[in-house]
Amino acid sequence: MKIVLNGEPREMRGETLSDLLQEFGFSGRVATAVNEDFVPSSLRIAHKLNDGDRVEVVAPMQGG
């Protein structure tokens, strides 16, 4: 399936947002949005993606 991940076109094998995170090596605490709608971590395993979806994954950064 073709998606846009953080502004970059990508191909993925999985079907859900949880699959995407695993496939592209995201770990730890991240925030996710699909087509500009926030998706809580508890819903990622059931959130099916579609061709052309725009996915944003953001990780918090430490600093001051």
Side-chain angles (χ1 to χ4, degrees):
M1 151 179 8
K2 294 179 183 182
I3 52 121
V4 178
L5 176 59
N6 292 342
E8 297 287 325
R10 300 284 186 105
E11 286 273 345
M12 66 171 283
R13 293 180 299 268
E15 295 181 354
T16 67
L17 185 53
S18 182
D19 293 339
L20 177 143
L21 294 174
Q22 186 174 22
E23 190 170 324
F24 291 103
F26 290 99
S27 61
R29 295 185 63 139
V30 295
T32 55
V34 177
N35 300 324
E36 300 178 9
D37 291 325
F38 174 72
V39 180
S41 59
S42 61
L43 300 179
R44 293 176 189 159
I45 198 160
H47 190 98
K48 296 250 186 217
L49 297 174
N50 299 299
D51 248 359
D53 277 350
R54 296 177 321 278
V55 181
E56 296 291 327
V57 180
V58 181
M61 296 183 68
Q62 292 182 335

